[in-house]
Amino acid sequence: MTGRRDGSLMRNSANSIRGSRIAIAIGIGVFIGCVFAFCFPHGIFDPNSQIQAQRNFKNSIQVGSASCESSERVNILKKELFSASEKNSELKKQVRELTEKLRLADQGRDQAQKQFLVLGEQHKAGPFGTVKGLRTNPTVVPDESVNPRLAKILEKVAVRNELIIALANANVKEMLEVWFSNIKKAGITNYLVVALDEDIESFCTSKGVPVYKRDHDEGFDSIARTGGNHAVSGLKFRILREFLQLGYSVLLSDVDIVYLQNPFDHIYRDSDVESMSDGHNNMTAYGYNDVFDEPSMGWSRYAHTMRIWVFNSGFFYIRPTLPSIELLDRVAARLSRENAWDQAVFNEELFYPSHPGYDGLHASRRTMDFYKFMNSKVLFKTVRKDAKLSKLMPVIVHVNYHPDKLPRMKAVVEFYVNGKQDALKPFPDGSEW
């Protein structure tokens, strides 16, 4: 009995062990099933993902074949896009140009009204013979931001916002020395040399002469160092603009001029530009009625013309007004694109009237006394041969009509300053070539 009991006990324990193993296996299976259910809600092999993968594969094949087939088309489209971009840039440029033209046209349309607003209120006309037009334009508001360094120099040099300036490079050093030596003798303090190279800057500094050299500008410096008289003359209109913008009146001077008196004591200051003349008598300097004869016209054979000899662009007084600055801009712009003489352009812009296709400059002008502000033709052809005229003391003598400038300048100093009466006699009336 004891044996049967032990055997039954062994069978019961074996059955319990197998039951516990089955329970554990079922538990593990349920746990793994829960994990898969959580991680793969649509199952491990989702039919939708398989279909999408198939579609992507087919599309990749189609794209690959399409890219191969359309490579040339892409290149064509790129070229067309580049061409369209260029055309668009050109159209934008044309639009800007048209906009600028419209703006300028609009400015010109009401120019007279704007001129009136600048000059002041309206006036009633007075009695016969008493009416005088407005001749003196108002000065511009000074703008020191244009050139702060030059502004500081001018504060020290200028007198009553006026000064003489001359441009010079190493080619005219000897004439420049005669120029500033006689300025000093005449008691003139408000003058300035615009040095076009380092040599002149050092030379003026060593002589105690006020000097100013512009900041580096490659195009400007090239002309300044090596340019001839006409090339250098063209630079002065660009340089002058800064002086006027800073609010200063300038007496521009070439260096082939001998100063015998202070010119500021003999200037009227009632015009935008006040210039010496290349004329040699009252008619040529101040204007005259010149009759043109054309016999083939019969009764109307005589045509009257008005003539005046040109202003000298090597010696003129210019006030800081809008018309003056416009004059400088016009002359500088033309000289930059034309192979022209600066004096011719200067006079054309001053004197040509408005006409179809051209707006004339609204600037007032005055011609200086040609005996006070004397050119070398007047001196050598007329004055030195006249006992009365030779006793007059001019303000300046400009050796503009003769190429042998330096010896004639020295002779002028000997004649007028040192009293040597025969100093002018060795020279011919004109040049020898």
Side-chain angles (χ1 to χ4, degrees):
M1 293 189 60
T2 303
R4 285 194 296 269
R5 238 187 342 261
D6 291 340
S8 63
L9 287 172
M10 290 177 65
R11 284 193 297 270
N12 289 337
S13 64
N15 290 335
S16 63
I17 291 171
R18 282 196 298 270
S20 62
R21 288 179 179 174
I22 293 170
I24 292 170
I26 292 171
I28 292 172
V30 171
F31 174 75
I32 293 173
C34 290
V35 171
F36 273 87
F38 178 79
C39 295
F40 303 98
H42 300 293
I44 298 176
F45 303 103
D46 184 8
N48 292 329
S49 61
Q50 290 180 339
I51 294 170
Q52 185 63 37
Q54 291 175 356
R55 288 178 179 174
N56 291 339
F57 180 71
K58 291 179 180 179
N59 288 337
S60 63
I61 294 174
Q62 290 175 355
V63 168
S65 62
S67 62
C68 292
E69 293 173 357
S70 61
S71 59
E72 293 184 1
R73 178 60 179 168
V74 169
N75 291 333
I76 293 171
L77 288 173
K78 285 182 179 179
K79 290 180 181 179
E80 291 178 352
L81 180 62
F82 180 74
S83 177
S85 177
E86 284 188 333
K87 289 180 180 179
N88 188 41
S89 299
E90 184 64 27
L91 287 172
K92 286 182 179 179
K93 181 180 178 182
Q94 292 176 2
V95 168
R96 286 196 299 268
E97 291 176 352
L98 288 172
T99 302
E100 181 66 13
K101 288 180 180 179
L102 287 172
R103 185 184 66 81
L104 294 174
D106 183 61
Q107 286 182 348
R109 183 180 59 190
D110 60 350
Q111 187 175 14
Q113 181 65 21
K114 289 180 180 179
Q115 183 85 353
F116 158 72
L117 292 174
V118 171
L119 294 177
E121 59 181 323
Q122 288 179 300
H123 300 272
K124 288 184 178 180
F128 179 81
T130 65
V131 176
K132 296 290 184 182
L134 298 174
R135 290 175 172 81
T136 307
N137 285 302
T139 57
V140 298
V141 177
D143 182 5
E144 292 190 3
S145 65
V146 171
N147 192 329
R149 184 166 68 89
L150 178 59
K152 290 181 180 179
I153 294 173
L154 297 181
E155 284 179 4
K156 299 177 182 178
V157 174
V159 175
R160 293 187 296 274
N161 278 23
E162 297 177 323
L163 76 159
I164 302 169
I165 70 167
L167 278 67
N169 60 18
N171 297 331
V172 295
K173 182 186 287 188
E174 289 184 286
M175 284 193 290
L176 178 65
E177 187 167 14
V178 176
W179 181 85
F180 65 65
S181 296
N182 285 278
I183 282 180
K184 291 179 179 180
K185 288 178 184 177
I188 303 166
T189 59
N190 51 332
Y191 69 100
L192 179 70
V193 175
V194 178
L196 301 179
D197 54 39
E198 290 78 8
D199 188 8
I200 289 297
E201 183 181 24
S202 300
F203 177 66
C204 289
T205 301
S206 67
K207 297 291 184 178
V209 173
V211 63
Y212 161 71
K213 188 176 183 302
R214 283 171 53 98
D215 293 333
H216 178 69
D217 181 326
E218 185 173 346
F220 180 94
D221 291 346
S222 176
I223 297 174
R225 287 192 301 269
T226 61
N229 287 340
H230 292 320
V232 171
S233 293
L235 295 177
K236 64 191 175 191
F237 297 99
R238 288 173 52 191
I239 296 173
L240 268 179
R241 193 186 205 280
E242 292 185 353
F243 285 81
L244 267 58
Q245 283 183 279
L246 292 171
Y248 291 87
S249 296
V250 173
L251 182 58
L252 183 90
S253 173
D254 283 350
V255 296
D256 57 344
I257 293 176
V258 177
Y259 285 78
L260 303 168
Q261 299 185 61
N262 191 330
F264 294 110
D265 296 335
H266 302 270
I267 290 175
Y268 286 79
R269 302 174 179 84
D270 65 345
S271 303
D272 296 304
V273 178
E274 195 169 340
S275 176
M276 72 171 294
S277 173
D278 273 1
H280 56 92
N281 54 29
N282 286 341
M283 289 176 59
T284 56
Y286 309 138
Y288 63 102
N289 180 9
D290 186 35
V291 180
F292 176 76
D293 184 11
E294 191 175 6
S296 63
M297 289 299 294
W299 175 79
S300 60
R301 63 182 291 180
Y302 300 111
H304 292 256
T305 69
M306 298 304 300
R307 297 188 64 184
I308 183 172
W309 286 33
V310 295
F311 281 3
N312 191 289
S313 64
F315 189 87
F316 61 87
Y317 178 83
I318 186 166
R319 295 176 59 248
T321 66
L322 291 178
S324 296
I325 294 174
E326 183 182 2
L327 170 65
L328 300 180
D329 287 351
R330 286 182 177 217
V331 175
R334 284 188 56 185
L335 291 176
S336 68
R337 63 177 184 267
E338 299 177 17
N339 184 21
W341 182 26
D342 71 280
Q343 181 162 291
V345 175
F346 176 70
N347 279 270
E348 288 169 2
E349 293 299 333
L350 265 176
F351 287 96
Y352 279 177
S354 297
H355 55 263
Y358 176 79
D359 290 329
L361 182 72
H362 298 282
S364 54
R365 308 171 297 273
R366 171 180 281 275
T367 305
M368 294 175 171
D369 185 326
F370 71 93
Y371 281 129
K372 289 183 177 180
F373 299 91
M374 190 181 299
N375 62 57
S376 56
K377 179 176 182 178
V378 173
L379 175 61
F380 285 97
K381 190 174 181 181
T382 305
V383 170
R384 67 170 176 168
K385 301 175 183 179
D386 188 294
K388 291 182 179 179
L389 292 177
S390 61
K391 292 178 181 179
L392 297 175
M393 176 63 73
V395 178
I396 61 106
V397 175
H398 188 178
V399 187
N400 61 316
Y401 269 99
H402 300 86
D404 50 339
K405 297 180 181 297
L406 185 59
R408 287 186 189 249
M409 288 177 71
K410 291 179 178 179
V412 168
V413 174
E414 289 295 323
F415 182 80
Y416 284 109
V417 178
N418 300 328
K420 188 177 180 180
Q421 296 301 309
D422 60 349
L424 303 176
K425 289 182 179 179
F427 299 94
D429 289 356
S431 62
E432 295 181 346
W433 53 273

